[in-house]
Structure formats: structure tokens, C-alpha cells
Amino acid sequence: MLSMGTPTLRQLEYLVAIADHGSFHAAARACGVTQPGLSAQIQQLESQLDAKLLERGGRKVLPTPAGEAVLRHARAVLADVDRLVEASHAHAQPLAGRLRLGVIPTVSPYFLPKALARVRRRYPSLEVWLREAKTDELVALLHRGELDVLLLALEARLDGLETLPLFRDAFVAALPAGHRLARRRRLRESDLADEPVLLLEDGHCLRDQALSFCAEAGTVERTDFRASSLPTLVQMVAGGAGATLLPEMAVRVEARSPGIAIVPFRGAAPARTIGLAWRAASPRAPEFRMLGEALGTPA
């Protein structure tokens, strides 16, 4: 018999988390609750709806057909609640409470530690929740209402998002210390013609920008290796595997190795534009512009 209980937002949040993460354990960790507590809420939800929502027992927990239908509505309900909270924040104290910030991994470790310290000093009531991921994933999360604002390279495809440029981040050449160009004070882009260049793996917007540079400079990507992170890329360069492009903000952290030589480019160096992006309809746009001002530029 159908129970008359009404699903709670917490139950819907847990159901969506399980669908997104594929397991009760990972969903509980993401939601900051115990697995038994999360399981109990899902069992209660299934009892209330008189329907089996999840297929258990396999390597990955999957939604049943009934679960898929409920999930569509659950995501819509949670997105509506987020918009309600956003509208409330827009009329309350600016930059207070929770703000969910998505950031790409080629920016977060190099810019955010000092930048967020500035933000906290200016807005002590603001609680920033960080999510680091590649651009496409961040944009999808933003459109689903799971993030409020993104910090990323604005050259990426951003699907009509509102944007605020913050600063220009020039690229420099990272070369093995014994490379023929390592002692140059500055390089022309054409100096790297026919050089084997190491790049990040697919999905990083920095890879797309570096590929554009390679096409113009006549360099050749080394296709037998693609790095998942800038530190890995730098270590491969230090080992003599080839050259690469580094964003200027990463040089202080990543170029400490004695096996690396950093050489800037002459004139208008290739660069990316770092900025904020948010949904065009977000009522918190004035807050995001204030956030951009508080973040400032790399020290």
C-alpha cells in the first residue's frame, strides 16, 4: 500500500548522489553522512513511494526505470531549491553564507590559496565550497545547479554563460635544462618549430590552448605521452622528454626543479584569460562581480 509520507529534500539529495557516484559508500562520503544513515533514508524513500528505485548488488548501483523517473523530478526539485536560496541571498547580505565555486586544476593550486585568503578577510561570513574538475564537467555541474560560479579560462566553450575577465595569464616555455634554447632570454614562437611538445590529456582546456599554439608555431605534439596534471608534465620535461607550455601562474610552484629552464616569449606572448562564469539568469550576478574584485590577480 502506498505510504502517504512526503519525500524530504535530504532523501532526494541522497538519491541523486547515489546516481551520480554509483555507490552508497561514495555518495555517503560526498554528502558527509554515514553509509547506514544514507541507506536508511533511501529505504524510507522507497517505502514512501512504494517503488524500488535502485538496482543493488552489482559492481555499480544503478537506478531502476522507476528510479530514473524519480531522479528526473528530484534533480528539478533540488535545482528549484537552489534557485530559491540564490534569490534569497541576492536580497540579503552580499557574499555571506555558502558559495559553491568550481575551478579548473590548472588554476586552483596556483591562484586560490592567496586569493581566497583575500576574499575571507573581506567577506568573513562567506563559506566557499570548492569543486575542482575539468572545464566540461564544471560547466555541466553549473547548468545543473550544483555549482554557483566557476573560475576558469574564458577561452573554453562556455555555452552562453555570463563571464567576468579577471586577468591575463601568459604562457612560458618550459624546457629541459640542457636544451639548445634553455639559455635564451626570450623566445619567438617559431623557435619551437619541430620541437616535440608534451601536453595534458584530453579534457583540459589548457590542452586546447596549447594545441592552438602548436598549430601556429609549427611544433609537434609528442603523442606517446599525455599528462594528467601540470606536475607530471613538468617532471617529464625535467627528464628530457620534450618541451611544454606552462601558465605563468604555475611557474613559481612547478619550476623549482634544477632540470627545468623557463623562458618567456617575446612581444605579445600567447596567453589565456582567467575569469569567472555563471548562469546568465542567476540573481547573484552582482555578488559574483564583487567576488571577482576580491579575488584580484596573482601575487
Side-chain angles (χ1 to χ4, degrees):
M1 183 176 68
L2 179 64
S3 170
M4 298 305 292
T6 301
T8 66
L9 291 176
R10 177 177 296 176
Q11 289 169 340
L12 299 182
E13 180 185 357
Y14 291 173
L15 179 65
V16 168
I18 293 169
D20 288 346
H21 293 277
S23 76
F24 280 75
H25 175 74
R29 184 172 54 194
C31 294
V33 297
T34 65
Q35 184 172 332
L38 181 140
S39 298
Q41 289 291 326
I42 295 300
Q43 289 172 1
Q44 186 177 354
L45 176 62
E46 290 180 320
S47 176
Q48 289 168 337
L49 300 179
D50 195 25
K52 201 72 171 175
L53 302 179
L54 297 170
E55 181 181 309
R56 302 161 171 85
R59 296 182 65 182
K60 184 177 181 180
V61 178
L62 298 172
T64 64
E68 290 282 7
V70 172
L71 274 166
R72 285 195 295 272
H73 291 288
R75 292 187 191 278
V77 168
L78 293 173
D80 283 342
V81 170
D82 281 338
R83 283 191 284 270
L84 181 151
V85 173
E86 283 188 351
S88 172
H89 285 166
H91 293 87
Q93 179 183 351
L95 288 181
R98 183 182 67 174
L99 184 139
R100 299 166 301 176
L101 174 64
V103 59
I104 55 176
T106 57
V107 168
S108 55
Y110 313 114
F111 176 60
L112 279 186
K114 291 184 178 180
L116 285 184
R118 291 193 293 268
V119 171
R120 292 189 186 100
R121 286 194 296 269
R122 188 175 299 189
Y123 301 104
S125 299
L126 181 66
E127 180 184 0
V128 179
W129 290 15
L130 288 177
R131 174 69 178 267
E132 183 183 86
K134 297 175 185 177
T135 299
D136 288 348
E137 182 180 350
L138 292 179
V139 171
L141 291 170
L142 184 71
H143 281 303
R144 291 208 303 260
E146 297 179 38
L147 292 173
D148 300 313
V149 62
L150 309 180
L151 177 65
L152 72 182
L154 299 185
E155 287 79 9
R157 189 173 63 186
L158 298 179
D159 296 339
L161 298 177
E162 191 79 19
T163 61
L164 174 67
L166 297 182
F167 57 88
R168 183 177 180 272
D169 185 28
F171 294 124
V172 298
L175 306 165
H179 193 278
R180 61 183 178 84
L181 300 173
R183 294 185 179 276
R184 295 274 189 94
R185 294 185 62 184
R186 291 189 176 273
L187 295 177
R188 294 184 299 268
E189 294 179 24
S190 60
D191 290 332
L192 293 177
D194 299 324
E195 287 288 334
V197 174
L198 304 175
L199 300 178
L200 293 171
E201 64 186 2
D202 290 338
H204 289 277
C205 59
L206 184 57
R207 170 181 171 78
D208 297 333
Q209 293 147 14
L211 280 173
S212 177
F213 168 87
C214 289
E216 293 181 8
T219 61
V220 180
E221 179 188 3
R222 181 168 170 176
T223 57
D224 60 343
F225 174 81
R226 289 182 181 175
S228 60
S229 67
L230 286 183
T232 302
L233 203 59
V234 168
Q235 290 306 309
M236 291 297 292
V237 172
T244 195
L245 294 183
L246 278 184
E248 194 171 37
M249 69 164 65
V251 169
R252 185 180 303 176
V253 174
E254 302 298 350
R256 297 172 179 171
S257 168
I260 289 285
I262 299 297
V263 186
F265 290 96
R266 291 181 182 176
R272 58 180 180 169
T273 305
I274 302 302
L276 297 177
W278 60 86
R279 295 182 297 276
S282 174
R284 300 184 71 182
E287 287 187 272
F288 300 149
R289 296 185 185 280
M290 295 167 63
L291 174 66
E293 182 183 352
L295 284 170
T297 60

